[in-house]
Amino acid sequence: MTIVESYVDQLVQEAMEIWRVPGLAIGVVQLGKTLVLKGYGLRDLGSDERVGVRTRFLLCSLTKSMTAAGVGLLVQEGKLKWETAVHEVLSEFHLHDPVATRATTILDLLCHRWGLPAHDRIWSPGDYSRSQMIRALQCLEPGNSSSGTFQYSNLGYVVAGAVIERVSGRSWEDFTSERLLLPAGFSDFAFSVDGLANSPDHAHPHPVEEEVLYRGHFWPMRATPAGGVVASIKDMCGWLRVLCGWEKLLSLEVREMMMTPHAYVGSAAYPEFGDRYYGLGLRRECYRGARFVSHTGSQPGWCAFMGLLPDEGIAVVILTNRDPHPAPAFLAYSTFDFLLGTKTVDWRSRILGAQEKSPVVKDGDCDVRGGHRGEMPPSSPLSDYVGEYHNPAYGTITISLGGNALNWAWRGLFGTLKYLDADVFRAFEQSIPRYPDGIEMKFVRGEGERVYSIAAPLEPNAPDIQFLK
């Protein structure tokens, strides 16, 4: 075992114990040479199978760099320009504002500055196709921030994937596989959660709720160009070589465009870092004076991290099967310090200290699993609220009466409503948990005091979403 392997091995053991990570895989590459490639822990808490270097994980948003690189290949070949307006390629692309429809460029999509906030509940139940997601865009109101401001959006990468398909004449999956992943040496990849779950060597997701780690559910991820690639740590070391230029798939111009700051994100969390920016499928900042390029990825039960110091020739990737947690940051920053030969920051204490200072966010008077404010019944009969409520983008919420309680159903999820106050109820899931419980649904009355809509804060950076009865 080399000195670097021994150092990283010690870090990983410490991190997995502190942050209760079931399974983890790490790759460290320097100047094109793989220094560390290893799996740790369990693939699944329900078995004793160990994580190996070819164990498949969901990459989540590390996928975005692949979609941005795919666009870069088409730019490299003169088939597309970064500044091309999206509607010139996709005639079906329409936003709520016709001016924004005409003005939005491919570059805007890739750096999250096209004026639309996340609207993650469009894609995250996993029932919409990508074409349905794109059709929904016209019905989504822009965010509270002005156009040109950074607003992270998976839907923008769904659109970018459709652009690649239209220009290349191939599916996004085929294009990405043939032009990027296979040439980079990938051998354990897939493009769906089914492809992950059906693999003989795969990790299982483990969410955390109320400090309890549990064996989770394989939720579909159909916004694939935004976060749906499945791969192993061995594969991802090949991707680090592509991004750093050790594998010559992308031109220097494309790689530099991806790593150039295009949208301001915010100030640094720690003094060792500079302000945060977003490039194209990659975040950009400085680490201890060096250019630092990275991305994180998360889905329920999954957490991934990729970080590069391209000018120093150092790159690290970490894949885990646990809800988002600080272990990848701790591992990456500590490894950077070790390989740079600089004074090592005590990242363990720094990160744990930041966690202790973070306020505990409580959702009003609502407990995560069932409590609510008082037991006073609504002033109107429950039958007033029963019916189907539709939003052209978000779909249909069905409210039904079951005994002395209201039930809700929406796009494959279902649960109960608990009265809060003045036509406001809180929604609790009884299906497999997908979202935090306690979201408020306000029933809106109109003429004759009849309930005619539901208003729900499904997107925090936009007005409440309206569902008409």
Side-chain angles (χ1 to χ4, degrees), residues 11-31:
L11 287 177
V12 171
Q13 301 292 351
E14 181 181 357
M16 292 181 71
E17 181 178 350
I18 294 170
W19 287 290
R20 296 183 301 139
V21 182
L24 180 151
I26 184 169
V28 180
V29 182
Q30 185 174 33
L31 298 175

Side-chain angles (χ1 to χ4, degrees), residues 50-190:
R50 309 288 298 181
V51 173
V53 299
R54 298 191 64 177
T55 299
R56 294 185 179 190
F57 290 80
L58 185 64
L59 299 184
C60 309
S61 286
L62 304 195
T63 302
K64 288 182 173 65
S65 61
M66 298 170 182
T67 298
V71 172
L73 281 178
L74 296 174
V75 171
Q76 193 172 297
E77 294 166 357
K79 298 176 180 177
L80 200 60
K81 294 182 179 179
W82 300 110
E83 300 80 12
T84 298
V86 176
H87 78 94
E88 293 180 9
V89 180
L90 293 178
S91 59
E92 65 269 34
F93 175 75
H94 295 283
L95 298 177
H96 192 267
D97 179 0
V99 174
T101 298
R102 294 190 296 272
T104 299
T105 66
I106 295 164
L107 185 69
D108 294 330
L109 297 176
L110 296 176
C111 66
H112 303 289
R113 66 180 190 198
W114 57 308
L116 204 65
H119 283 289
D120 281 336
R121 283 180 170 89
I122 294 296
W123 61 266
S124 62
D127 57 335
Y128 279 7
S129 67
R130 299 205 296 258
S131 60
Q132 285 177 301
M133 296 175 205
I134 292 173
R135 285 198 298 272
L137 297 176
Q138 190 170 10
C139 306
L140 299 177
E141 292 190 40
N144 299 325
S145 302
S146 61
S147 180
T149 301
F150 176 83
Q151 296 183 90
Y152 193 83
S153 171
N154 287 295
L155 293 174
Y157 274 75
V158 172
V159 178
V163 168
I164 290 172
E165 292 183 330
R166 192 63 50 86
V167 174
S168 70
R170 284 181 280 179
S171 71
W172 177 84
E173 288 83 355
D174 285 349
F175 180 89
T176 303
S177 172
E178 295 166 15
R179 298 297 310 278
L180 290 170
L181 304 189
L182 288 172
F186 279 51
S187 58
D188 305 311
F189 66 96

Side-chain angles (χ1 to χ4, degrees), residues 56-58 126 188-203 205 217-222 224 228-230 302:
R56 294 185 179 190
F57 290 80
L58 185 64
D188 305 311
F189 66 96
F191 293 101
S192 70
V193 170
D194 288 343
L196 170 63
N198 294 330
S199 164
D201 186 356
H202 70 270
H217 177 69
F218 281 107
W219 288 101
M221 177 48 176
R222 296 199 170 96
T224 319
V229 171
V230 169
W302 303 102

Side-chain angles (χ1 to χ4, degrees), residues 370-378 418-420:
H372 57 97
R373 187 185 302 163
E375 295 294 340
M376 184 179 293
K418 296 191 177 182
Y419 179 66
L420 181 62

